[in-house]
């Protein structure tokens, strides 16, 4: 049973101008709840399940860890040794599960090529990495970290996705954007994505110009307004500019997952959405059927079914942490997450399924929760036909607010 949970005041009172990205709204709420909840038992053994479901791995450290290492008595070797130690503990419980999804989110300034090669050697030795073509092994760079040699190294290590993360204070020029897209093309990555903290007004025009010059569109553009190090709300980063940016990317031919993840119509995520096997977890959408995640590194998050656990962010605490023992985590309302996941993945709800399977009478609940959000001078937010709820374009644009009402209901 989940521990008693209190919805933070910031979530309850979030105004209509709150950040518009919907896909991480559940993780934001769980993060807020987790800051005040008691520790719960969340050992790595919980991820050892008899199910044959695949597993995802994230290698993560906060961007400012470089400053900690520069100022303190710790160096990158301590981090590498700590990561290896955690891998060995985690792998003892999950080594039988296939890994088709891997994300490298370690700051590149912390590690040299030998460190990276060593870590990936141990990842491959300890975990059952998938070699199939449909795997998703992503390396993440900030623009200032990107170099041809480092990109080539990860390409040689088997990574097939390149993703650029833009901090909220960076507004790249069209020339910089074109250069980033060209780097992905040069190394023939199967997937290329841009991860933004706020809309970049010049991006849709830059994509159009780059494609006109013979280049390739990014496969995915994500607006991610969740920062693991600075809490669940980052202000009104893109509330005012969001609708125009949303429409501009839609005009470029992108489909939308949630209301903040834009994918090409022939991309694996779009195909998964069409075939109704799209998954949403703490790291976002995937087409590899990955629900459970193992987060390795300071500040990383692991998720298993109904719970989240969080590694210490502070490096000395991380190095001394007992990964096989008690972790600070949060349990949450399983049925609520299923409802929100289906809305985010498919913009629809099968009302009869939730009634038959979970005894949830969603239609009267949604009408009660969402009616106050309806501006009667605008089109309806949703329609219901033969027990199937479908969001309208207006409902998709305002999906954050619809989900917020559900979170408050299910988690209060």
């Amino acid at each position: 049973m989940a521990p008693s949970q209190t919805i933070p005041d910031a979530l309850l009172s979030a105004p209509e101008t709150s950040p518009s990205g919907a896909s991480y709204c559940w993780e934001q709420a769980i993060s807020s709840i987790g800051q005040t909840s008691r520790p719960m038992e969340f050992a790595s053994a919980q991820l050892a399940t008899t199910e044959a479901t695949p597993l995802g791995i994230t290698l993560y450290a906060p961007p400012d860890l470089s400053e900690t290492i520069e100022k303190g008595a710790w160096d990158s070797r301590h981090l590498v040794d700590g990561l290896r130690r955690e891998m060995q503990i985690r792998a003892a419980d999950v080594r039988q599960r296939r890994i088709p999804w891997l994300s490298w989110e370690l700051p590149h300034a912390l590690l040299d090529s030998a460190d990276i090669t060593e870590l990936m050697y141990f990842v491959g030795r300890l975990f059952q990495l998938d070699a199939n073509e449909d795997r998703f092994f992503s390396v993440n760079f900030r623009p200032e970290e990107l170099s041809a040699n480092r990109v080539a190294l990860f390409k040689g290590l088997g990574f097939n996705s390149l993703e650029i993360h833009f901090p909220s204070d960076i507004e790249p020029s069209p020339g910089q954007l074109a250069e980033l897209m060209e780097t992905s093309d040069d190394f023939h990555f199967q997937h290329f994505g841009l991860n933004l903290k706020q809309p970049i007004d010049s991006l849709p025009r830059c994509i159009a110009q780059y494609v006109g010059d013979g280049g390739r569109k990014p496969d995915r553009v994500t607006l991610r307004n969740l920062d693991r190090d600075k809490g669940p709300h980052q202000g009104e980063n893109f509330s005012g500019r969001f609708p125009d940016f949303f429409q501009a990317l839609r005009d470029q031919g992108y489909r939308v997952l949630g209301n903040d993840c834009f994918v090409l119509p022939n991309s694996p995520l779009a195909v998964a959405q069409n075939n109704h096997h799209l998954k949403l977890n703490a790291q976002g959408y995937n087409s590899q059927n990955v629900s459970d995640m193992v987060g390795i590194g300071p500040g990383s998050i692991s998720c298993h079914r109904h719970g989240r656990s969080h590694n210490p962010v502070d490096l000395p605490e991380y190095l001394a942490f007992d990964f096989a023992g008690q972790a600070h985590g949060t349990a949450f309302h399983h049925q609520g997450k299923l409802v929100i996941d289906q809305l985010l993945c498919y913009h629809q709800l099968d009302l009869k399924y939730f009634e038959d399977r979970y005894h949830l009478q969603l239609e009267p609940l949604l009408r009660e929760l969402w009616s106050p959000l309806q501006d009667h001078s605008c089109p309806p937010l949703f329609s219901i036909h033969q027990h199937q709820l479908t969001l309208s374009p207006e409902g998709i644009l305002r999906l954050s607010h619809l989900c917020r009402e559900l979170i408050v209901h299910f988690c209060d």
Side-chain angles (χ1 to χ4, degrees):
M1 193 73 179
S4 177
Q5 299 167 350
T6 302
I7 297 296
D9 292 341
L11 184 62
L12 288 169
S13 61
E16 283 296 293
T17 55
S18 63
S20 300
S23 297
Y24 298 93
C25 60
W26 185 268
E27 299 305 323
Q28 290 173 326
I30 294 303
S31 176
S32 298
I33 294 168
Q35 291 171 8
T36 56
S37 67
R38 62 173 175 81
M40 59 173 283
E41 192 69 20
F42 192 110
S44 60
Q46 286 184 269
L47 287 161
T49 171
T50 56
E51 299 175 15
T53 55
L55 186 69
I57 292 178
T58 300
L59 291 145
Y60 172 84
D64 59 3
L65 186 59
S66 300
E67 300 174 12
T68 302
I69 288 179
E70 289 175 2
K71 295 176 182 177
W74 312 97
D75 59 29
S76 60
R77 188 67 241 174
H78 291 99
L79 175 62
V80 171
D81 290 343
L83 293 168
R84 285 181 50 181
R85 169 178 165 267
E86 184 182 1
M87 283 183 213
Q88 290 173 327
I89 295 170
R90 303 287 194 195
D93 291 313
V94 304
R95 67 171 71 248
Q96 299 305 316
R97 298 181 68 177
R98 183 172 60 90
I99 312 291
W101 194 99
L102 172 69
S103 180
W104 182 285
E105 298 182 33
L106 295 168
H108 290 272
L110 290 175
L111 305 170
D112 60 24
S113 297
D115 294 329
I116 293 167
T117 304
E118 176 184 350
L119 286 172
M120 281 308 302
Y121 168 77
F122 279 95
V123 171
R125 178 176 154 188
L126 293 169
F127 298 97
Q128 189 176 285
L129 296 184
D130 199 328
N132 292 334
E133 281 296 315
D134 62 351
R135 74 188 189 281
F136 184 82
F137 290 177
S138 178
V139 56
N140 299 270
F141 288 89
R142 292 190 171 217
E144 70 275 10
E145 296 176 322
L146 199 66
S147 72
N149 288 340
R150 185 58 61 93
V151 173
L153 172 64
F154 279 94
K155 178 72 174 179
L157 289 170
F159 285 76
N160 62 353
S161 175
L162 175 66
E163 186 155 332
I164 309 299
H165 285 232
F166 290 94
S168 57
D169 58 345
I170 290 183
E171 176 86 23
S173 67
Q176 288 173 308
L177 286 169
E179 185 177 345
L180 293 170
M181 289 188 281
E182 187 175 356
T183 298
S184 175
D185 283 352
D186 288 345
F187 287 92
H188 304 287
F189 277 87
Q190 189 176 347
H191 309 284
F192 173 57
L194 299 176
N195 194 314
L196 317 177
K197 290 289 183 67
Q198 61 181 340
I200 297 174
D201 294 335
S202 61
L203 178 60
R205 296 190 303 274
C206 179
I207 291 175
Q209 181 177 344
Y210 186 66
V211 171
D213 293 337
R216 162 192 166 192
K217 289 182 180 179
D219 300 278
R220 176 167 58 180
V221 177
T222 304
L223 285 166
R224 182 169 184 174
N225 57 310
L226 172 65
D227 192 314
R228 282 175 282 196
D229 309 311
K230 296 182 180 179
H233 286 285
Q234 310 219 13
E236 298 166 11
N237 291 350
F238 49 82
S239 55
R241 295 152 60 189
F242 178 69
D244 290 341
F245 185 80
F246 180 100
Q247 189 57 49
L249 284 179
R250 298 283 284 138
D251 291 343
Q252 285 285 331
Y254 283 91
R255 291 177 57 171
V256 65
L257 311 180
N259 68 354
D260 51 3
C261 179
F262 302 87
V263 298
L264 294 179
N266 60 348
S267 69
L269 291 176
V271 172
Q273 186 186 51
N274 285 339
N275 295 333
H276 222 75
H277 60 76
L278 187 66
K279 286 288 185 181
L280 176 62
N281 59 38
Q283 291 292 320
Y285 301 94
N286 71 82
S287 59
Q288 286 74 33
N289 195 33
V290 171
S291 296
D292 295 344
M293 302 289 303
V294 175
I296 296 172
S300 65
I301 299 171
S302 295
C303 61
H304 173 241
R305 294 186 179 176
H306 316 325
R308 300 284 185 271
S309 70
H310 313 269
N311 283 354
V313 176
D314 182 70
L315 182 59
E317 289 183 31
Y318 169 76
L319 296 175
F321 192 65
D322 179 12
F323 296 104
Q326 193 177 61
H328 188 275
T330 308
F332 53 81
H333 197 288
H334 175 54
Q335 297 172 4
K337 185 172 191 311
L338 289 177
V339 172
I340 289 173
D341 279 3
Q342 192 171 118
L343 274 175
L344 292 169
C345 288
Y346 305 111
H347 301 151
Q348 294 181 330
L349 283 177
D350 186 334
L351 302 177
K352 192 169 190 317
Y353 167 78
F354 283 100
E355 181 178 352
D356 294 344
R357 179 70 175 82
Y358 299 106
H359 307 291
L360 286 176
Q361 299 285 339
L362 287 179
E363 181 171 349
L365 172 65
L366 296 176
R367 292 191 186 280
E368 177 186 351
L369 294 178
W370 291 353
S371 291
L373 301 178
Q374 178 68 57
D375 182 345
H376 295 288
S377 65
C378 297
L381 299 175
F382 64 93
S383 61
I384 297 177
H385 179 66
Q386 295 184 345
H387 306 289
Q388 187 84 7
L389 179 145
T390 302
L391 294 178
S392 67
E394 181 72 15
I396 294 171
L397 193 60
R398 301 185 64 194
L399 190 49
S400 301
H401 309 302
L402 303 183
C403 290
R404 186 191 66 192
E405 296 301 318
L406 286 169
I407 291 169
V408 171
H409 171 80
F410 283 116
C411 296
D412 194 6

